Amino acid sequence: MELSGKKIAILATNGFEQSELEVPRDALKAAGATVEIISLQPGEIKGWDKKDWGRPVKVDKTLDQATAADYDALVLPGGQINPDLLRVEPKALQFIRSVFDAKKVVAAVCHAPWLLVETGIAKGRRMTSYKSIKTDVANAGAKWEDSEVVVDQGVITSRNPGDLKAFSAKIIEEVKEGRHMQRSSAA
């Protein structure tokens, strides 16, 4: 299997967009990766499915139990609620930044690029996002593109749920490539 022996973290909390967690999770597992859901608290987190609360997802580890060294990549699902709650949590921001600083793949979809803005990762990068946060991303110093998926030295961004298959395929491709040792850090 393509990602056999690889371990991927998905960082989320209540209000994640259901499909933006489940589609990449399932694609990564199908490719042979071990996938763990990381959150602020143990137990379950509840998704948002289009216009109402969705299904719960079991949390595998809390942020206190997870370290960047444990993972080959990090996936950040969007939705409006999830990244907005996470971007005010210092432990979440430190975890994201630690994965990035270790030159590992960081993937954010829809509104999750807010987390890349908050951590300083967006500065100087080519990125995309959900259209309503285009200005936030650009104001953070990123070069925003209206593209399905944008990859900049192992930082993957995708604009919305319609692009989840392409987003998931790009995560698999980048994880197979390994660490991005040439990655520059503008922040």
Side-chain angles (χ1 to χ4, degrees):
M1 301 190 84
E2 294 178 273
L3 298 184
S4 182
K6 301 294 184 182
K7 196 169 179 184
I8 315 294
I10 298 179
L11 176 61
T13 192
N14 290 310
F16 64 87
E17 184 64 41
Q18 200 81 43
S19 61
E20 293 174 11
L21 184 148
E22 291 177 347
V23 171
R25 177 198 64 196
D26 295 349
L28 291 163
K29 283 183 175 183
T34 299
V35 180
E36 292 185 341
I37 307 300
I38 311 299
S39 194
L40 304 168
Q41 302 294 326
E44 292 182 335
I45 52 175
K46 198 163 196 177
W48 186 261
D49 197 4
K50 298 177 186 79
K51 296 184 180 190
D52 203 354
W53 289 104
R55 297 171 298 285
V57 171
K58 181 186 172 295
V59 171
D60 296 302
K61 287 185 179 175
T62 65
L63 276 167
D64 291 331
Q65 300 168 316
T67 66
D70 295 338
Y71 301 98
D72 297 290
L74 172 62
V75 178
L76 303 167
Q80 293 175 320
I81 301 167
N82 176 60
D84 198 41
L85 292 174
L86 288 174
R87 69 182 175 161
V88 297
E89 292 291 338
K91 286 180 184 178
L93 299 176
Q94 180 55 49
F95 182 71
I96 295 164
R97 189 67 204 206
S98 295
V99 173
F100 173 81
D101 287 344
K103 312 284 190 201
K104 297 177 181 181
V105 173
V106 176
V109 62
C110 189
H111 286 75
W114 264 339
L115 295 163
L116 305 182
V117 166
E118 201 64 38
T119 56
I121 294 169
K123 186 175 182 181
R125 297 211 175 283
R126 292 175 36 250
M127 291 176 58
T128 193
S129 66
Y130 191 71
K131 62 187 173 189
S132 69
I133 67 166
K134 171 186 176 180
T135 301
D136 297 340
V137 172
N139 285 344
K143 183 181 184 298
W144 191 88
E145 297 179 18
D146 186 14
S147 299
E148 180 176 69
V149 178
V150 175
V151 181
D152 187 326
Q153 296 178 321
V155 176
I156 305 165
T157 52
S158 184
R159 59 181 175 210
N160 67 30
D163 308 317
L164 289 174
K165 285 185 181 179
F167 177 65
S168 301
K170 198 49 91 169
I171 297 168
I172 292 166
E173 178 184 322
E174 291 293 309
V175 170
K176 283 172 46 180
E177 284 182 14
R179 289 190 186 209
H180 291 75
M181 300 311 285
Q182 305 306 318
R183 176 189 290 159
S184 60
S185 179

